[in-house]
Amino acid sequence: MPRPPLPPPPPPVPYRTWPDPEAMRADRARAMRELGRRALGAPAAVGFWLYALLLAVGWGCVGVALQTFEQGLFPDVLIGGIFLVLGVGAIVPAAILLGLGVRRDRTIRQRLSQWRELGADPAVDARVRAPGRSLAWLLPSFALAALGLGTSVGWAAAARPGADTYADAAFFIGAGCVMWVVGLLGMVKAVGHYRWAVRGM
């Protein structure tokens, strides 16, 4: 089922036809609450982490493919090819969806700023700033990014020539990079919303 579109920005000044300030404030409140929900609400979190999980599963399939290719035997190569196709089939859409999410977040912040310029409503504005939700995004994202960086650097430092293979290196360093990138995207989302909120205080 397609996701409903974002609330539009306020109309340009010459085309604003609100009958009174109360009607304008009501539209402003509805738009900002919905934009705030789209930015940091539960649906946004579920979608983000599902895409991240799909990316991780995809890289896991690629890792299995690399391990089987290293064996060099026909059954292993065939199985590896299947896992490689599955992995790429998961990685590509997950990466695209995460990238579209970054662009969508930028649009949300722009529209929040445009609606906020119409005036002030302390109750609505405080709810949209949502410092608790920003922190709820930031902490797990930071932990994941740190785990990913530690995985990549730690494995590279502990690797032993002759005992660890190139397939192992590609899998573990790649998995660490995936975690680091996903965590970084989550931190960018949280910090971007926090910066928007601070500019309006």
Side-chain angles (χ1 to χ4, degrees):
M1 186 175 180
R3 183 183 298 180
L6 294 172
V13 175
Y15 302 103
R16 292 176 184 173
T17 57
W18 287 294
D20 53 61
E22 290 301 322
M24 183 273 290
R25 281 194 290 269
D27 282 352
R28 178 186 183 276
R30 278 192 296 269
M32 291 193 69
R33 281 196 297 264
E34 179 62 15
L35 289 167
R37 186 184 72 84
R38 297 288 190 93
L40 298 176
V46 170
F48 177 82
W49 291 112
L50 280 178
Y51 301 152
L53 179 61
L54 182 62
L55 190 63
V57 169
W59 185 254
C61 290
V62 171
V64 172
L66 294 175
Q67 294 284 349
T68 55
F69 288 155
E70 206 164 43
Q71 302 301 318
L73 302 176
F74 174 73
D76 294 326
V77 171
L78 180 60
I79 293 171
I82 294 171
F83 273 99
L84 181 62
V85 170
L86 291 174
V88 172
I91 290 171
V92 171
I96 291 173
L97 290 169
L98 285 169
L100 290 174
V102 171
R103 189 171 67 177
R104 189 181 184 87
D105 290 339
R106 189 182 310 116
T107 301
I108 288 174
R109 287 194 297 272
Q110 289 172 348
R111 294 188 182 180
L112 281 169
S113 296
Q114 290 168 338
W115 280 105
R116 184 171 59 190
E117 289 171 359
L118 295 182
D121 187 334
V124 173
D125 295 353
R127 184 176 177 182
V128 174
R129 286 188 188 110
R133 281 185 292 180
S134 294
L135 190 62
W137 272 88
L138 180 63
L139 293 180
S141 298
F142 177 80
L144 184 63
L147 178 62
L149 191 60
T151 299
S152 294
V153 174
W155 193 93
R160 294 168 299 169
D164 297 304
T165 65
Y166 289 113
D168 293 332
F171 175 71
F172 285 104
I173 295 175
C177 289
V178 167
M179 290 188 286
W180 184 79
V181 168
V182 171
L184 185 63
L185 288 176
M187 288 192 292
V188 167
K189 185 181 183 78
V191 172
H193 187 83
Y194 177 77
R195 289 179 62 191
W196 168 86
V198 167
R199 283 198 295 268
M201 296 175 69

